[in-house]
C-alpha cells in the first residue's frame, strides 16, 4: 500500500506535468483561461446610474443604522426586547455599509467620474420599535432594488461584486424583521423591482446632498399611501428569532389607497435635479392596482371613491399551484397603474411606463 505522502506528491507532479485547463462544459461567459480578464468598472450609463443609485442606498443605511445606535439608550432598546448584543449587531451592520459604500465608490470612480457622496437625511421615527420597523422597510426596497437590475448590467464583473454585498443586505432585512417581532421570512422568493421604484421610496428621506453628486436619472413616482396598512409591530411580539403569530392581512381584504397628485416636472435643485414626468393638469385616472411580490405581478381593479382616494381587494393566488404560499406576503410593493401589462421578473421594469403612484404594502 502506498503511503499518503507518496500519493500526494504523485498528484502534485501530475498537476505540474499536465497543466491542461480544468474541463468547462460548453457555454458560459468569461470562464476560460483566455477569456477577457475581469474589469470591475461600469461600462454604460445604465451601469453607472444603477450602481450610483445602489451607492445612495448604502449611504442612507450607514447613516440610519448609526443614527439608531446613537439616538436610543440601552433602556430604550431593552423595552423593544433588544439586548446590548443586539445593539452591537446593528452597529456591525453600519460597519458593513462602510465596506459596501467603499466597494461601489471604487467601481464607480473609473474614468474620472464622481460617485455620490453621503447626503443628509430626515427620519420620522421616535422609538426603537419604529426604528427597526423602518429599517426592515428600507432594506426591503434596497435589496429588491438591486435584484431588479443585477442581471441587466452590462458589466458582469461589477454585478458579481454587487451580488456579494446585496446578499449581506438580505440578511440585514431579515434581522430587522426579527427585531420587529415578526416572522423573519414569510415568502418563498424575494422580489426584484426597478431602479425608479426603489429611488421613488428612497428620495423621500433626503434633505440635502453634496452639489457634486451625480444627477440621478431615474424617474420618481408620486407616492401611494395605504390608508389601512397593517402595522408589523404587534403588541406582545418583541424582538425574537421568530414568532408564529397570525398573518396581518388576508385575501379579500378591502384596501383603501390614496395617491399623491402628479407634480409635473419637478426639479430638486441643489439636491438631485430629477425630472418627474407626467401632466400637471390632466392626470391619467388609475384603473388597476399592481401587487408586486415573489415571482408575481398581479392586478386588481381600482375603484375611485374620492379625491385621489380609492379602494381595491387584496388578491388571492399562490406562487405555484402545488404550494400554499400566497403571492401576497411580507413587506411588498404596490402600484396604481393606467394599464395592466403582463410582466415577469426579468421585464418588470416595463411597468415603469404605466405607474401612476408607487408604495409599500405591509402584508405580513
Ligand atoms: C490560450 O492562448 C494561448 C496563446 O494564444 C494558446 O497557446 C492556448 O492554447 C490558449 N488556451 C486555451 C485553453 O485556449
Ligand atoms: C406555527 O404555525 C404553523 C403554520 O403556519 C403550524 O403548523 C405550527 O403548528 C405552529 N407552531 C407552533 C409551535 O405554534
Ligand atoms: C404569509 O405566509 C405565512 C407563512 O407561510 C402564512 O402563515 C400567512 O398566512 C401568509 N400571509 C398571507 C397574507 O398570505
Ligand atoms: C383563496 O383561494 C383559496 C383556494 O382556492 C380558497 O379556498 C379561498 O376561499 C380563497 N379566498 C378568497 C378570499 O377568495
Ligand atoms: C371598500 O371600502 C370602501 C370605503 O373605503 C367602499 O366604498 C367600498 O364599497 C368597499 N368595497 C367592497 C368590495 O366592500
Ligand atoms: C416635462 O418633461 C418632458 C420631458 O423632458 C417634456 O417633454 C415636457 O414638456 C415637460 N412638461 C412640462 C409640463 O414641463
Ligand atoms: C435642473 O434642471 C433645470 C431644468 O432642466 C435646469 O434649469 C437647472 O439648471 C438644473 N439644475 C442643475 C443644478 O443641474
Ligand atoms: C399629458 O396629456 C396629454 C394630453 O392628454 C397626453 O397626450 C400626454 O401623453 C400626457 N403625458 C403624460 C406623460 O402623461
Ligand atoms: C374634492 O376636491 C374638491 C375640489 O378641491 C373639493 O371641493 C371637495 O370637497 C373634495 N372632496 C372631498 C371628499 O374631499
Ligand atoms: C406566480 O408566478 C409563477 C411563476 O411565473 C406562476 O407559475 C404562478 O402561476 C403565478 N401565480 C399567480 C397567482 O399568478
Ligand atoms: C414580459 O415577459 C413575458 C415573458 O416572460 C412576456 O410574455 C410579456 O409580454 C413581457 N411583457 C411586456 C410588457 O413586454
Amino acid at each position: 500500500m502506498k503511503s499518503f505522502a507518496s500519493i500526494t506528491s504523485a498528484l502534485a507532479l501530475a498537476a505540474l506535468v499536465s497543466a491542461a485547463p480544468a474541463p468547462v462544459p460548453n457555454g458560459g461567459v468569461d470562464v476560460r483561461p483566455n477569456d477577457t480578464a475581469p474589469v470591475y468598472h461600469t461600462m454604460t450609463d445604465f451601469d453607472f446610474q444603477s450602481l450610483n443609485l445602489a451607492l445612495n442606498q448604502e449611504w442612507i443605511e450607514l447613516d440610519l443604522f448609526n443614527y439608531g445606535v446613537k439616538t436610543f439608550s440601552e433602556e430604550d432598546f431593552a423595552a423593544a426586547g433588544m439586548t446590548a448584543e443586539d445593539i452591537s449587531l446593528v452597529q456591525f451592520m453600519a460597519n458593513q455599509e462602510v465596506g459596501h459604500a467603499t466597494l461601489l465608490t471604487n467601481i464607480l470612480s473609473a474614468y474620472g467620474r464622481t460617485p455620490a457622496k453621503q447626503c443628509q437625511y430626515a427620519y420620522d421615527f421616535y422609538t426603537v420599535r419604529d426604528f427597526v420597523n423602518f429599517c426592515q422597510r428600507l432594506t426591503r426596497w434596497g435589496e429588491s432594488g438591486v435584484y431588479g437590475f443585477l442581471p441587466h448590467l452590462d458589466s458582469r464583473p461589477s454585478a458579481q461584486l454587487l451580488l456579494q454585498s446585496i446578499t449581506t443586505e438580505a440578511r440585514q432585512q431579515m434581522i430587522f424583521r426579527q427585531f420587529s417581532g415578526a416572522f423573519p421570512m414569510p415568502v418563498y422568493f424575494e422580489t426584484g423591482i426597478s431602479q425608479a421604484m426603489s429611488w421613488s421610496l428612497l428620495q423621500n428621506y433626503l434633505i440635502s446632498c453634496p452639489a457634486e453628486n451625480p444627477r440621478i436619472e431615474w424617474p420618481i413616482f408620486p407616492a401611494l399611501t395605504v390608508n389601512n396598512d397593517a402595522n408589523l409591530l404587534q403588541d406582545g411580539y418583541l424582538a425574537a428569532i421568530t414568532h408564529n403569530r397570525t398573518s396581518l392581512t388576508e385575501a379579500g381584504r378591502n384596501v383603501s389607497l390614496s395617491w399623491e397628485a402628479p407634480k409635473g416636472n419637478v426639479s430638486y435643485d441643489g439636491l438631485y435635479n430629477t425630472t418627474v414626468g407626467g401632466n400637471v393638469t390632466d392626470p391619467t385616472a388609475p384603473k388597476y392596482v399592481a401587487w408586486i411580490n415573489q415571482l408575481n405581478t398581479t392586478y386588481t381593479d381600482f375603484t375611485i371613491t374620492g379625491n385621489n382616494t380609492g379602494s381595491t381587494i387584496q388578491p388571492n393566488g399562490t406562487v405555484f399551484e402545488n404550494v400554499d404560499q400566497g403571492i401576497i406576503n411580507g413587506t411588498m410593493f404596490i402600484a396604481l397603474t393606467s394599464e395592466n401589462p403582463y410582466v415577469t421578473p426579468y421585464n418588470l421594469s416595463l411597468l415603469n411606463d404605466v405607474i401612476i403612484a408607487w408604495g409599500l404594502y405591509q402584508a405580513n
Side-chain angles (χ1 to χ4, degrees), residues 2-21:
K2 280 187 180 169
S3 75
F4 178 72
S6 75
I7 291 172
T8 50
S9 64
L11 286 175
L13 188 64
L16 278 177
V17 170
S18 65

Side-chain angles (χ1 to χ4, degrees), residues 254 305 311 313:
N254 189 346
T305 56
S311 67
I313 300 298

Side-chain angles (χ1 to χ4, degrees), residues 109-357:
S109 294
Y111 317 116
R113 300 190 76 164
T114 315
K117 297 199 172 65
Q118 199 167 25
C119 301
Q120 286 184 300
Y121 311 93
Y123 308 116
D124 54 3
F125 53 78
Y126 302 98
T127 65
V128 170
R129 296 270 285 156
D130 288 336
F131 161 61
V132 291
N133 190 18
F134 179 66
C135 289
Q136 68 85 18
R137 290 165 73 86
L138 180 126
T139 49
R140 168 78 280 129
W141 77 66
E143 182 191 344
S144 290
V146 168
Y147 295 152
F149 70 68
L150 208 47
H152 296 280
L153 288 174
D154 292 290
S155 169
R156 285 169 182 251
S158 301
Q160 174 75 45
L161 297 185
L162 185 54
L163 174 69
Q164 291 177 229
S165 45
I166 208 61
T167 48
T168 301
E169 179 143 343
R171 292 159 196 225
Q172 295 174 347
Q173 202 278 337
M174 188 182 90
I175 290 169
F176 282 118
R177 281 187 63 93
Q178 293 173 316
F179 283 158
S180 302
F183 193 70
M185 40 176 191
V187 292
Y188 286 8
F189 301 96
E190 306 301 336
T191 198
I193 58 173
S194 72
Q195 298 93 336
M197 295 169 184
S198 61
W199 174 230
S200 296
L201 297 170
L202 163 56
Q203 55 83 33
N204 287 316
Y205 301 95
L206 301 175
I207 300 175
S208 70
C209 294
E212 68 268 31
N213 275 14
R215 181 180 185 274
I216 303 258
E217 289 177 8
W218 307 110
I220 295 171
F221 303 121
L224 177 59
T225 304
V226 183
N227 299 318
N228 56 347
D229 207 16
N231 190 346
L232 191 65
L233 307 171
Q234 294 288 305
D235 287 345
Y237 295 94
L238 295 181
I241 288 177
T242 189
H243 279 299
N244 220 17
R245 59 157 172 69
T246 50
S247 185
L248 298 176
T249 67
E250 59 195 12
R253 179 173 191 248
N254 189 346
V255 178
S256 167
L257 301 169
S258 294
W259 76 101
E260 202 181 32
K263 294 171 185 156
N265 294 344
V266 179
S267 82
Y268 296 86
D269 275 303
L271 179 52
Y272 282 106
N273 203 5
T274 301
T275 300
V276 182
N279 282 324
V280 186
T281 52
D282 182 27
T284 317
K287 286 205 197 101
Y288 304 99
V289 177
W291 303 77
I292 296 138
N293 201 33
Q294 310 228 32
L295 305 173
N296 305 84
T297 297
T298 304
Y299 298 94
T300 54
D301 290 331
F302 183 62
T303 310
I304 295 179
T305 56
N307 288 342
N308 280 45
T309 298
S311 67
T312 194
I313 300 298
Q314 181 167 324
N316 212 348
T318 53
V319 174
F320 289 118
E321 277 176 13
N322 62 333
V323 297
D324 63 2
Q325 170 68 196
I327 48 176
I328 309 299
N329 215 323
T331 307
M332 53 169 288
F333 304 97
I334 191 168
L336 284 186
T337 65
S338 53
E339 289 167 50
N340 58 351
Y342 176 59
V343 288
T344 54
Y346 192 67
N347 66 6
L348 184 99
S349 67
L350 298 177
L351 209 60
N352 286 355
D353 296 340
V354 299
I355 290 179
I356 290 168

